[in-house]
């Protein structure tokens, strides 16, 4: 059974580019989003879930299989997908791995602690065209990830 690409599409700026790359390698794509972000694209299956805390994340985790490729910017979701032996990339082309996920999760935890204390850590700046170019330049990372997943035993 061919591997698939699952996109956590709520707030994902690289849906179209990911579809373009997956199409080159004849890999199926599932777009997961909530009712506030319904994203339909030709060549992909879209699954829409109720708007709610982590509803899309849990739906994605329940569908991911070893060797699948997941595109998400959510560290918690990335961690759960890594535990299920998926390959996970963020919107800038960074591959989440066992070597970097703990530090990312710690940073998320520290930011949440600051929020609970009434301090607001600096958020991410608005996405720029340069970031899109960087993701496109990192296309080989996604291609290698898809190819490695396709070659992995089921």
């Amino acid at each position: 059974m061919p591997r698939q690409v699952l996109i956590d599409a709520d707030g994902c700026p690289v849906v179209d580019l990911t579809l373009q790359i997956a199409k080159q390698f004849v890999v199926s794509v599932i777009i997961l989003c909530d009712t506030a972000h319904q994203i339909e694209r030709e060549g992909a299956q879209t699954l829409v879930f109720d708007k709610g805390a982590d509803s899309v994340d849990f739906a994605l985790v329940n569908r991911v299989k070893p060797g699948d490729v997941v595109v998400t910017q959510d560290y918690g979701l990335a961690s759960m997908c890594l535990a299920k032996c998926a390959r996970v990339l963020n919107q800038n082309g960074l591959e989440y791995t066992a070597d970097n996920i703990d530090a990312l999760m710690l940073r998320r935890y520290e930011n949440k602690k600051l929020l609970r204390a009434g301090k607001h850590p600096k958020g991410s700046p608005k996405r720029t065209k340069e970031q899109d170019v960087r993701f496109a330049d990192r296309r080989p990372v996604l291609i290698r990830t898809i190819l490695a997943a396709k070659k992995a035993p089921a």
Side-chain angles (χ1 to χ4, degrees):
M1 186 170 175
R3 305 290 188 225
Q4 59 189 355
V5 175
L6 296 104
I7 302 173
D8 175 16
D10 293 345
C12 181
V14 293
V15 171
D16 293 327
L17 183 54
T18 304
L19 279 167
Q20 184 182 60
I21 295 167
K23 185 177 180 180
Q24 286 179 310
F25 294 94
V26 194
V27 177
S28 64
V29 176
I30 300 175
I31 298 171
L32 294 94
C33 55
D34 67 25
T35 55
H37 300 97
Q38 292 186 34
I39 300 169
E40 301 281 335
R41 295 291 190 278
E42 185 177 325
Q45 176 185 8
T46 298
L47 302 176
V48 180
F49 300 91
D50 288 337
K51 197 166 62 170
D54 303 320
S55 63
V56 172
D57 296 351
F58 291 123
L60 194 152
V61 167
N62 286 331
R63 284 169 176 73
V64 71
K65 306 238 180 312
D68 285 348
V69 176
V70 176
V71 177
T72 185
Q73 59 186 346
D74 183 311
Y75 300 155
L77 176 58
S79 180
M80 290 186 285
C81 292
L82 286 173
K84 293 189 86 173
C85 299
R87 305 287 300 267
V88 188
L89 297 172
N90 80 0
Q91 73 280 2
N92 296 324
L94 169 73
E95 183 169 3
Y96 298 107
T97 66
D99 293 332
N100 66 17
I101 196 66
D102 287 339
L104 295 168
M105 291 295 291
L106 178 61
R107 183 167 60 195
R108 182 178 96 155
Y109 169 76
E110 294 296 332
N111 283 339
K112 286 190 179 207
K113 259 182 24 181
L114 287 172
L115 283 172
R116 282 194 301 272
K119 299 176 183 165
H120 297 281
K122 187 175 181 180
S124 300
K126 188 172 182 173
R127 188 166 181 89
T128 65
K129 289 186 189 286
E130 290 78 22
Q131 287 172 304
D132 290 338
V133 169
R134 261 199 324 268
F135 182 83
D137 288 346
R138 298 290 315 261
R139 186 179 303 207
V141 172
L142 181 57
I143 292 169
R144 280 193 310 271
T145 302
I146 289 172
L147 291 175
K150 285 187 77 134
K151 290 178 186 174

